[in-house]
Amino acid sequence: MIKATPREQIEQLKLGTVDFIAESELLKKIEKSVATGKPLSVKFGADPTRPDLHIGHTVVLNKIRQFQDFGHHVNFLIGDFTAMIGDPTGKNETRPPLSPEEIETNAKTYAAQIFKVLDPEKTTIVYNSHWFSKLSPADFIRLSAQYTVARMLERDDFTKRFQSHTPIAIHEFLYPLCQGYDSVHLKSDVELGGTDQKFNLLVGRELQKAYGQADQQCVITVPILEGIDGVNKMSKSLDNYIAVVDSPKDMFGKTMRVSDQLMMRWYELLTDITPAQLAQLKTDLKEGKKHPRDTKVNLAKFLVKRFHGEAQAQAAEEEFNRMFVDKGLPDEIPLIEVFPTTEPVGICTLMTQVGLTETNSEARRLIQGKAVEMDQVKVQDDKLKLDLKSGMQFILKAGKRKFAKVVVK
Amino acid sequence: MIKATPREQIEQLKLGTVDFIAESELLKKIEKSVATGKPLSVKFGADPTRPDLHIGHTVVLNKIRQFQDFGHHVNFLIGDFTAMIGDPTGKNETRPPLSPEEIETNAKTYAAQIFKVLDPEKTTIVYNSHWFSKLSPADFIRLSAQYTVARMLERDDFTKRFQSHTPIAIHEFLYPLCQGYDSVHLKSDVELGGTDQKFNLLVGRELQKAYGQADQQCVITVPILEGIDGVNKMSKSLDNYIAVVDSPKDMFGKTMRVSDQLMMRWYELLTDITPAQLAQLKTDLKEGKKHPRDTKVNLAKFLVKRFHGEAQAQAAEEEFNRMFVDKGLPDEIPLIEVFPTTEPVGICTLMTQVGLTETNSEARRLIQGKAVEMDQVKVQDDKLKLDLKSGMQFILKAGKRKFAKVVVK
């Protein structure tokens, strides 16, 4: 546990956040905590239907870990109550209710991942079905009486849907109230989330007041991390993510592929760099005192070390060097996914398919000119047939500068 | 029980209604009922917080009675579930939750009144707390998923409040859904209400569909009756009502005070007059074949007979004649309410106060000219003092045409 004055805690906790509501209140809470020795109750909620964490999630987990390092306690809330309902309209058959067993399995998957960042000794995993199953219909109506339709429609996505006449079912208004009621039940001192959760977190704060709690939770939001494409938010469905459980090799390789600009953003959000160090790094890069590639290697090593340890970080770097640097491969090779084939496919056809050549005859000429390599080995035969099986991957090089990493789905 | 073909039932039931959704469906239901001997399930809901029925309520009760006369069964629903919640915001201390005992008392008060119109043999009194207390929060969320925010905001009063930025609490969206769920639970074939209930009744119809019921309830609305002022809807708070439990004398007297125009409306909505008879009556009045006063007496007698029986109707007419007609009093005398006095008040002061004279000296001159009567007795003394005690009432006549009925509060 890090010894720190309330003011020092605040300064550290503020770093990298977007909303910090409200500093004065949190300072008072921390002062009281320091005086009484009673840790703050920090809440973070997760949806048990998607237990695969990517490093975007770790932005908020890092912030929560800071609270733990200062001695505070975390309630990691599994929102299983609504997950057990599934799609309440009954129209979406692809979103069946989760069984208690599935939720338990997902919760365990979560635990395995979050404890790469969080301190298990200072974390309680709680399930909101425990209190919601005890609520009566009358309690539910009382809960929904605490908020108005107009204020709920102020939430960004509701505003947009309402204005564009996209239906909002009434139960969707109940979900933020349920999430807020979790804070009432847990008597949370602080709740954290991404900036997209700001509205919901504030509902919790207001409901605590409506339910007569003297202190309301502070609300802290952190930025949403961009994915490896540098454009969209990191998400599994956009396939621009690094999973917390990705192999050291993948984690290292994917990080090396991000743009220099995104690299700085990741430094800011994913590492423990201080604002002063970050400013210095930017200056050094600008003045050529540091090389972007080395800086990116350091970031990649940092991430692998965090999730897989020091030895793996070292090994990943060495493998990367062996694969790319030592053999003259560029850092960024376009990744091309292809489907497995039932019959072997010709090398020339494949090269054209993955965009290395315009035509099969161009491919043939290059092979005959000894200008094509597969995993650093020269291709000798332009009649070569490849049996593409799921999971295979290799690097094709055509001429001096064209590369493609072929991944068979 | 009245023997009638399905088509005859429909024609009779349609009379005097505003919405009749949908005739073809109701015809099919009635045909099936006639064929199988199974009565239709007719729903009517009432709010147990205000069990005082006035004759405005009997417009819908009369229509429901017609269903019973055709052999159908009525579920008279006491909406005690929400009444037991009271004001869910907890802000309105004047609207405390009703206890089960209070609800039971109010239900008995209802029963005593509705069975002046409905057939107790064909009526079941049901309480929606019986099924709502068994609903889980998850059931509640499923219920609220069946309706959209936009559609709920189409309800007239919600539209107005939303546009004028008057807060709508979210639980207010749940109440129409609860009312609709009652129809799901009861598998109602028909629900009736005033025109102001149309939206809520249609929600029931739609929820039955959403919950997979093959047949949905038909929705019948009846006009809202104007009160004795002929302007506003009859309501207790506007003091323009005739209570179902009003004395024969009051019921007769209040009816005699309504305008000739309102009289025709009451004939249409409160009596069993047929459209043909109503048209004939209008013609007769227009051509002078019938006198408005006699027509109004018939209406008054009809109402007293309905709620108090034939003998009371006769007696009320006779008393009315003795009081007004035989003694040359007009049918309509303005009623003036005054407060009890701690000291006796002078007759001249009172006359001016109730608007019979402009000044006390005008009153004195009239008394001295033997032109003032109190309950048909000449006032001899302009120094007369009256001890106005609560409950007293008497008629003052000043000159030949000025009257006031003084009622001490």
Side-chain angles (χ1 to χ4, degrees), chain A residues 81-82 84-85 88-91 132-138 140-142 144-150 152-153 162 167-175 177-178, chain B residues 81-82 84-85 88-91 132-138 140-142 144-150 152-153 162 167-175 177-178:
Chain A
F81 168 61
T82 51
M84 284 197 294
I85 298 168
T89 65
K91 285 168 194 157
F132 276 114
S133 61
K134 287 177 196 133
L135 236 56
S136 73
F140 226 78
I141 285 181
R142 275 183 213 108
S144 62
Q146 308 302 333
Y147 225 81
T148 69
V149 172
M152 199 55 88
L153 281 173
F162 189 67
I168 304 164
I170 290 167
H171 76 282
E172 297 183 70
F173 276 11
L174 300 181
Y175 284 173
L177 293 170
C178 289
Chain B
F81 169 60
T82 51
M84 284 197 295
I85 298 169
T89 65
K91 287 167 194 159
F132 276 114
S133 60
K134 288 176 195 134
L135 237 55
S136 74
F140 235 79
I141 285 181
R142 275 183 213 108
S144 63
Q146 308 303 332
Y147 225 81
T148 70
V149 171
M152 198 57 87
L153 281 171
F162 189 68
I168 304 165
I170 290 167
H171 76 283
E172 298 184 69
F173 275 9
L174 300 182
Y175 284 173
L177 292 172
C178 289

Side-chain angles (χ1 to χ4, degrees), chain B residues 246-384:
Chain B
D246 268 357
S247 70
K249 184 184 161 191
D250 283 353
M251 208 174 260
F252 198 101
K254 285 182 185 176
T255 306
M256 291 307 293
R257 288 195 349 242
V258 306
S259 70
D260 291 354
Q261 196 186 351
L262 185 61
M263 164 180 79
M264 298 316 291
R265 175 92 169 150
W266 283 24
Y267 256 107
E268 185 186 352
L269 297 178
L270 296 175
T271 76
D272 49 10
I273 198 169
T274 66
Q277 289 168 333
L278 187 67
Q280 184 62 48
L281 181 59
K282 283 180 181 169
T283 308
D284 289 351
L285 284 164
K286 205 174 174 185
E287 295 175 354
K289 288 182 189 162
K290 283 199 171 157
H291 192 275
R293 200 186 168 287
D294 300 335
T295 311
K296 213 174 283 180
V297 164
N298 284 340
L299 175 66
K301 281 171 74 178
F302 176 89
L303 291 175
V304 177
K305 182 180 163 190
R306 152 147 263 171
F307 297 104
H308 297 284
E310 177 78 51
Q312 291 285 352
Q314 201 59 41
E317 183 186 12
E318 282 162 14
E319 188 182 349
F320 185 82
N321 285 342
R322 196 174 57 250
M323 278 288 287
F324 297 92
V325 189
D326 302 347
K327 306 234 169 129
L329 293 181
D331 297 344
E332 294 187 36
I333 294 180
L335 184 149
I336 314 283
E337 290 185 321
V338 298
F339 286 103
T341 49
T342 45
E343 291 185 20
V345 63
I347 179 79
C348 295
T349 306
L350 181 67
M351 283 176 67
T352 306
Q353 188 190 332
V354 301
L356 286 174
T357 49
E358 291 288 321
T359 59
N360 286 8
S361 30
E362 184 194 349
R364 199 172 308 114
R365 279 196 301 277
L366 282 169
I367 294 172
Q368 289 164 354
K370 314 284 182 211
V372 173
E373 289 180 9
M374 190 172 164
D375 277 344
Q376 286 88 45
V377 177
K378 278 213 162 54
V379 176
Q380 308 287 354
D381 180 7
D382 62 79
K383 298 277 186 301
L384 177 68

Side-chain angles (χ1 to χ4, degrees), chain B residues 136-189:
Chain B
S136 74
D139 294 329
F140 235 79
I141 285 181
R142 275 183 213 108
L143 173 58
S144 63
Q146 308 303 332
Y147 225 81
T148 70
V149 171
R151 298 209 53 205
M152 198 57 87
L153 281 171
E154 284 171 13
R155 202 175 85 172
D156 273 358
D157 55 334
F158 287 150
T159 307
K160 281 177 196 147
R161 286 167 62 193
F162 189 68
Q163 286 171 351
S164 66
H165 303 288
T166 309
I168 304 165
I170 290 167
H171 76 283
E172 298 184 69
F173 275 9
L174 300 182
Y175 284 173
L177 292 172
C178 289
Q179 189 172 334
Y181 186 79
D182 291 336
S183 297
V184 173
H185 178 84
L186 294 168
K187 297 188 176 65
S188 304
D189 291 310

